[in-house]
Amino acid sequence: MTENAQQQPPAPSTDLPTQYAPADVEGPLYERWVERGYFEADAKSDKPPYTIVIPPPNVTGSLHLGHAFQHTLMDALTRRKRMQGYEALWLPGMDHAGIATQNKVEQQLAEEGKSRHDLGREEFVARVWQWKEEYGGRILGQMRRLGDGVDWSRERFTMDEGLSKAVLTIFKRLYDDELIYRAERIINWCPRCLTAISDIEVEYQEDAGELVSIRYGEGEDSLVVATTRAETMLGDTAVAVHPEDERYKHLIGKLIKLPLTDRSIPVVADEHVDPEFGTGAVKVTPAHDPNDFEIGRRHDLPSLTIMDEHGVITVHGPFIGLDRFEARSAVVGALKEQGRIVAEKRPYMHSVGHCSRCKTTVEPRLSMQWWVKVGPLAKAAGDAVRDGRVKIHPEDMSKRYFDWVDNMHDWCISRQLWWGHRIPIWYGPDGEVVCVGPDDEPPTGEGWTQDSDVLDTWFSSGLWPFSTLGWPEKTPDLKKFYPTDVLLTGHDIIFFWVARMMMFGLYAMDGEAPFHTIALTGLVRDEFGKKMSKSNPNAVDPLVWMDAYGSDAVRFTLANGANPGADVPIGEDWVKASRNFTNKIWNATRFALMNGATIEGPLPDASEMSAADRWILSRLNTTVAQVDAYYDDYQFAKLADALYHFAWDEVFDWYVELSKTTFFAGGEPARVSGRVLGEVLDVMLRLLHPVIPFVTDALWTTLTGGESLVIGDWPKDSGFRDKAAEQEIELVQRVITEVRRFRKDQGLKDGQKVPARLDLTGTALAPHEAAIRQLLRLQPEGDAFTATATLPVAGAEVALDLSGTIDVAAERKRLAKDLAAAEKEKSQANGKLGNEAFLAKAPDHVVDKIRTRLAKAEEDIARIQAQLERLPQA
């Protein structure tokens, strides 16, 4: 079943502490793994490669549950492949996080009463590097706590020397291929971060505003427009109407007076306008709205910028110097004085864009920026999925991917920051523009200056799958480990990161996609399904849970909730349950070792085994096959569930318990079962290791004397199945389960012994009578035995003498009271459900609740009646 089963390992130790203490095991064990180089991948190896690159966390970040969730799944995939004989590389690193990191250092400077401009660009960047060395990368240490089996020798940073060369190389290639250009367009501007941000860095939320309707022009030559941003009317250069709108045909081409200004603006006809929406007339502000910008281009309208980079008004005397929000109310007030406000609606809820990093309201702004022409790149990214070169899992997430890549706008890649990869463009004194590649010398001489902007963070992280492997050089790493096998990431960054990597990978690597599979996960939520947020009390620091319950418990909880593409609810009680699971594995393995579990020697022949031995080996191989299938389909929740129930239910609660009589009796049957139990534990710990690596490695090395499960072999399905043994043990389980249920119904304590007669004639249960009696606490029948309750089950008959264990009269009285309550509940529910007037008025959820109560009452009545029938006559 495993290679280890055919070897003669060192004698195992049974010296395990009585209780599992994760804090004593996890830290030292992880350091031992790293020191021995278990996670380091060899590009010269002849093993088949398996590669995952970590989504690089921000250098400013710390481990949150979302990281812990995805890292657990990536670690499980990598550990399993390493055990399967692959040269597995899980490559770590961090993103320089331009805006976030610059904000951190600027906050430090503000506390010193300084700004970045006091330092100058060069000194400020040096200060950021200093901050990065001192405070950045905290998350890397936290990844070690979680057990991330990454190759630390290959750790990368998006601004290290090699990755910076990759950025310059691809910028130069794209520029030379006319896929990067500079143009004045409407961009999303953050007045707090003082930089352009891309569409996908804007978060929209419903904000309360004010919708005002304003009359432009006079008399018959007037019309009404509505806006939530009244201050932008100062930059209007037209009013647009639909060319077929009869209400305004007489105005098309005419000039009308723009209130509060000395300007007249034209009325233009544009099919973009929806005549059914509002008044059918819209104000056109080309410098402050993306749709208006396009109308302006179609009609050759001027673009008037009315506010500066801080969102402060710069035109029209009374409003100059006002913040945009102050100007909004001031403009409305001035319009009211002129009688121009036709209608007001407040509060008016509407979708407003906010900077994803600082939450400031974003301002559309006309600006000269650098852009990537995404058309051909996005088409290639879409084609790679459509033709099957790259698979998206789950498949129904493909629609979100196609919705994005098929409708992608050109990407604004310039940012008005100092921290980041500076755009490699030089401007000459006579209007020259030179793009400088990594091997080029920048132009020198009087009047030459470099572009002051830096590149969007996602530009460099979009190169991550190949730049981290040495590209643009043809390195052994790149040859061995590219393309990577799977990108495992949240569905929320399909647009930010996944599409960028697809576009750049296909472009830079001659049409070879950066990964074979995109496995998308959901987001981690609290136990009630609510989004976790630092601003909410439901946010959880996973390190706190790791301290309390161990990293394995956190990992198992996260994996157990990981259905493909679906959000993952998690609560502390679930982590406690996972802690109980790790404790159960520890205690049961310790018990097994103390009672003869061993992997020494070959497995005995099936003819020497008991039915329980053959049953557990059959179930073991079925579980191996199931877990393999679930891994290959990224069904982490199902594989975790299968392992949990196999380990806890089948191995510990059934096989170990069924085998206790064998172990206690000793002799050859005990030796055979000890070897079977050792085999089962060996394989079970291997199967569990990728998800819960710490406790399994500590136990496996004790069981087998082996070096480490990290470099152990992944188990294979031997093909052994024994349906007859499975059916036989299922009969045993039915008997035990039914009698246990009856005992519980009668109020018997778990350890309370009861005299019983077992009639197992004609069934496969006879060999298991000793085990059945032991597990059910059934004493042999004595001379005074009286069968006061008889249970027919699984073709057998179990007669119990309860005369000395329960007060039959009191029990009948209690059950009669419960039966009366259940029948009353049933009557009341039937009464309501039979009332047509009630059903006509009651909400659906109320009716459903009553139907549920009725079903529960009927179930209780049947259960109580069965209990009464089984009781002896008083």
Side-chain angles (χ1 to χ4, degrees):
M1 194 169 305
T2 66
E3 290 182 17
N4 204 45
Q6 307 304 319
Q7 300 170 354
Q8 295 297 322
S13 165
T14 56
D15 186 21
L16 283 173
T18 54
Q19 290 185 323
Y20 178 50
D24 296 340
V25 172
E26 293 177 350
L29 188 53
Y30 187 85
E31 292 309 313
R32 185 153 67 246
W33 292 338
V34 173
E35 288 167 6
R36 294 180 178 179
Y38 292 157
F39 305 138
E40 293 179 13
D42 182 2
K44 298 177 182 178
S45 165
D46 57 4
K47 295 180 182 178
Y50 183 82
T51 317
I52 296 180
V53 291
I54 205 166
N58 287 355
V59 67
T60 60
S62 60
L63 190 75
H64 56 65
L65 274 173
H67 289 128
F69 170 53
Q70 292 178 1
H71 288 207
T72 293
L73 305 187
M74 285 184 277
D75 195 31
L77 290 172
T78 311
R79 285 177 182 271
R80 172 176 175 255
K81 285 296 183 180
R82 187 179 293 114
M83 293 173 75
Q84 286 181 316
Y86 287 78
E87 195 62 39
L89 169 61
W90 187 21
L91 194 147
M94 293 184 299
D95 191 286
H96 66 279
I99 295 177
T101 308
Q102 179 157 320
N103 281 347
K104 286 279 188 185
V105 178
E106 288 197 86
Q107 287 167 12
Q108 271 192 346
L109 290 174
E111 292 170 5
E112 301 169 14
K114 298 178 183 178
S115 76
R116 60 179 162 131
H117 300 286
D118 294 323
L119 272 64
R121 184 171 194 139
E122 188 174 337
E123 189 176 341
F124 176 78
V125 170
R127 178 75 176 256
V128 180
W129 277 107
Q130 179 185 336
W131 181 93
K132 185 255 181 188
E133 294 305 318
E134 190 171 350
Y135 300 104
R138 178 175 48 165
I139 192 172
L140 299 178
Q142 295 166 343
M143 286 162 55
R144 301 169 87 94
R145 280 288 314 279
L146 186 65
D148 282 10
V150 296
D151 186 345
W152 292 110
S153 69
R154 285 179 165 82
E155 180 190 333
R156 302 305 299 268
F157 180 54
T158 50
M159 282 187 62
D160 66 28
E161 184 178 351
L163 269 64
S164 295
K165 181 176 182 179
V167 168
L168 294 177
T169 300
I170 201 159
F171 187 101
K172 171 72 170 170
R173 292 188 186 179
L174 290 165
Y175 182 85
D176 290 345
D177 287 344
E178 298 183 349
L179 293 173
I180 284 183
Y181 63 95
R182 192 174 188 232
E184 192 174 44
R185 300 278 173 81
I186 290 284
I187 48 90
N188 303 297
W189 181 265
C190 177
R192 161 63 183 80
C193 298
L194 296 180
T195 181
I197 58 177
S198 65
D199 291 345
I200 52 179
E201 293 169 302
V202 178
E203 295 178 347
Y204 288 89
Q205 65 185 48
E206 291 293 309
D207 285 359
E210 179 182 16
L211 181 69
V212 293
S213 297
I214 311 167
R215 183 175 298 281
Y216 285 16
E218 306 293 342
E220 291 185 359
D221 291 347
S222 69
L223 38 66
V224 175
V225 300
T227 182
T228 57
R229 303 173 68 224
E231 73 283 3
T232 63
M233 66 158 294
L234 300 173
D236 286 359
T237 57
V239 173
V241 298
H242 193 276
E244 302 303 322
D245 194 331
E246 294 294 336
R247 294 171 294 177
Y248 304 120
K249 276 193 173 181
H250 70 287
L251 290 177
I252 295 173
K254 288 187 177 182
L255 294 176
I256 61 172
K257 185 70 179 296
L258 179 66
L260 304 184
T261 73
D262 295 325
R263 294 189 291 115
S264 293
I265 58 177
V267 178
V268 299
D270 196 283
E271 292 188 353
H272 168 78
V273 178
D274 179 1
E276 303 298 324
F277 184 76
T279 65
V282 297
K283 59 191 287 299
V284 181
T285 320
H288 294 276
D289 183 276
N291 292 324
D292 293 2
F293 177 76
E294 296 301 329
I295 293 175
R297 290 214 299 183
R298 288 194 289 272
H299 298 278
D300 199 23
L301 300 174
S303 296
L304 302 180
T305 299
I306 64 161
M307 63 183 79
D308 66 14
E309 61 185 7
H310 298 279
V312 173
I313 302 298
T314 58
V315 300
H316 202 68
F319 310 109
I320 291 175
L322 293 180
D323 171 82
R324 53 187 168 151
F325 301 116
E326 296 171 335
R328 183 169 301 169
S329 57
V331 166
V332 171
L335 289 167
K336 283 181 179 177
E337 289 180 8
Q338 292 190 3
R340 293 285 177 178
I341 299 296
V342 176
E344 297 176 77
K345 183 178 181 181
R346 71 170 93 174
Y348 177 75
M349 301 304 295
H350 61 133
S351 182
V352 178
H354 296 260
C355 174
S356 62
R357 289 174 175 83
C358 71
K359 311 308 176 187
T360 301
T361 300
V362 167
E363 189 65 41
R365 175 181 172 86
L366 186 64
S367 181
M368 184 68 75
Q369 301 285 345
W370 286 94
W371 304 80
V372 172
K373 186 185 295 183
V374 299
L377 302 174
K379 182 181 184 303
D383 289 346
V385 174
R386 286 189 169 95
D387 64 22
R389 281 175 287 159
V390 177
K391 297 187 183 303
I392 293 180
H393 187 86
E395 191 175 352
D396 58 11
M397 284 283 178
S398 298
K399 184 180 184 302
R400 296 187 66 180
Y401 176 81
F402 291 130
D403 284 347
W404 180 251
V405 297
D406 292 346
N407 301 286
M408 197 183 297
H409 300 297
D410 283 2
W411 172 20
C412 177
I413 55 172
S414 44
R415 298 291 181 269
Q416 289 65 55
L417 305 170
W418 287 355
W419 172 245
H421 296 100
R422 194 166 176 182
I423 290 178
I425 295 288
W426 268 256
Y427 304 106
D430 299 317
E432 302 95 333
V433 179
V434 176
C435 180
V436 176
D439 301 320
D440 302 331
E441 288 293 329
T444 56
E446 189 175 348
W448 282 94
T449 58
Q450 186 178 358
D451 195 297
S452 60
D453 290 350
V454 300
L455 288 163
D456 177 12
T457 293
W458 298 101
F459 190 95
S460 52
S461 60
L463 314 180
W464 190 251
F466 51 94
S467 63
T468 52
L469 297 172
W471 187 90
E473 308 303 326
K474 294 181 178 179
T475 63
D477 277 358
L478 192 64
K479 182 179 180 181
K480 177 77 173 179
F481 297 113
Y482 187 92
T484 67
D485 285 86
V486 59
L487 171 72
L488 190 144
T489 191
H491 61 64
D492 56 322
I493 60 171
I494 290 177
F495 322 124
F496 288 93
W497 193 45
V498 178
R500 311 299 191 207
M501 287 189 290
M502 285 287 284
M503 291 192 302
F504 282 166
L506 290 160
Y507 174 79
M509 299 300 293
D510 300 320
E512 195 167 22
F515 17 75
H516 300 306
T517 301
I518 301 168
L520 296 171
T521 70
L523 307 179
V524 177
R525 296 183 178 273
D526 71 12
E527 59 192 301
F528 305 106
K530 293 181 180 178
K531 183 178 180 181
M532 287 191 178
S533 166
K534 290 180 181 178
S535 60
N536 291 336
N538 66 351
V540 174
D541 181 351
L543 296 168
V544 173
W545 281 353
M546 287 184 218
D547 288 341
Y549 309 113
S551 297
D552 280 337
V554 174
R555 289 172 62 114
F556 191 80
T557 307
L558 291 164
N560 204 27
N563 290 298
D567 288 348
V568 183
I570 184 172
E572 187 167 7
D573 285 346
W574 304 343
V575 184
K576 289 179 182 177
S578 295
R579 184 270 317 273
N580 294 343
F581 180 49
T582 60
N583 286 345
K584 181 77 170 180
I585 296 170
W586 182 273
N587 294 334
T589 303
R590 184 173 179 275
F591 169 85
L593 288 170
M594 293 171 63
N595 286 275
T598 179
I599 64 163
E600 293 185 30
L603 269 176
D605 189 77
S607 62
E608 301 176 60
M609 298 179 187
S610 68
D613 294 335
R614 299 194 307 277
W615 165 73
I616 197 62
L617 289 176
S618 184
R619 292 296 306 134
L620 176 67
N621 280 285
T622 297
T623 303
V624 170
Q626 284 179 333
V627 169
D628 275 332
Y630 290 144
Y631 262 115
D632 292 342
D633 198 35
Y634 304 99
Q635 297 279 359
F636 296 98
K638 289 183 178 179
L639 72 88
D641 187 65
L643 287 169
Y644 176 90
H645 287 293
F646 175 73
W648 194 306
D649 298 345
E650 298 186 303
V651 178
F652 302 143
D653 279 0
W654 283 112
Y655 179 69
V656 170
E657 294 299 320
L658 287 170
S659 302
K660 278 183 178 178
T661 53
T662 304
F663 289 134
F664 295 161
E668 183 61 15
R671 186 197 69 79
V672 171
S673 291
R675 179 63 188 87
V676 170
L677 180 55
E679 179 75 8
V680 171
L681 291 175
D682 177 17
V683 174
M684 183 193 76
L685 292 171
R686 293 172 192 261
L687 290 173
L688 283 164
H689 175 74
V691 179
I692 48 174
F694 294 108
V695 67
T696 51
D697 198 41
L699 291 172
W700 184 85
T701 52
T702 302
L703 170 70
T704 67
E707 183 179 342
S708 174
L709 255 184
V710 180
I711 53 171
D713 296 321
W714 182 252
K716 296 178 181 178
D717 176 6
S718 71
F720 178 83
R721 301 289 191 280
D722 192 323
K723 291 299 180 186
E726 291 194 33
Q727 291 170 357
E728 185 173 326
I729 298 303
E730 283 172 11
L731 289 177
V732 175
Q733 291 172 324
R734 280 179 57 194
V735 170
I736 293 172
T737 301
E738 284 297 317
V739 177
R740 278 177 173 168
R741 184 180 294 118
F742 177 76
R743 286 177 57 109
K744 183 177 180 182
D745 288 344
Q746 304 310 313
L748 296 177
K749 296 178 181 178
D750 289 344
Q752 191 170 354
K753 294 182 178 181
V754 178
R757 181 176 64 240
L758 274 61
D759 183 358
L760 309 177
T761 307
T763 73
L765 296 167
H768 305 283
E769 180 169 352
I772 291 172
R773 284 187 175 277
Q774 179 178 323
L775 291 174
L776 289 173
R777 305 293 190 269
L778 302 181
Q779 292 178 318
E781 55 187 293
D783 294 338
F785 178 84
T786 301
T788 59
T790 302
L791 302 175
V793 57
E797 190 173 270
V798 179
L800 304 173
D801 183 354
L802 303 178
S803 57
T805 57
I806 62 172
D807 184 336
V808 176
E811 184 64 13
R812 280 189 172 278
K813 186 176 180 180
R814 182 186 71 80
L815 290 172
K817 184 179 178 181
D818 290 347
L819 181 61
E823 287 174 337
K824 182 180 179 181
E825 176 75 1
K826 176 183 176 181
S827 176
Q828 290 176 340
N830 273 328
K832 289 185 177 181
L833 294 174
N835 185 334
E836 294 296 334
F838 171 78
L839 292 177
K841 294 180 181 179
D844 289 345
H845 73 275
V846 172
V847 176
D848 289 343
K849 188 174 181 180
I850 294 170
R851 288 192 177 116
T852 301
R853 283 170 47 195
L854 174 61
K856 174 69 166 52
E858 290 174 337
E859 181 182 310
D860 287 346
I861 290 169
R863 176 179 54 80
I864 296 168
Q865 287 175 338
Q867 288 177 244
L868 284 166
E869 288 173 5
R870 288 171 176 170
L871 276 177
Q873 295 300 315

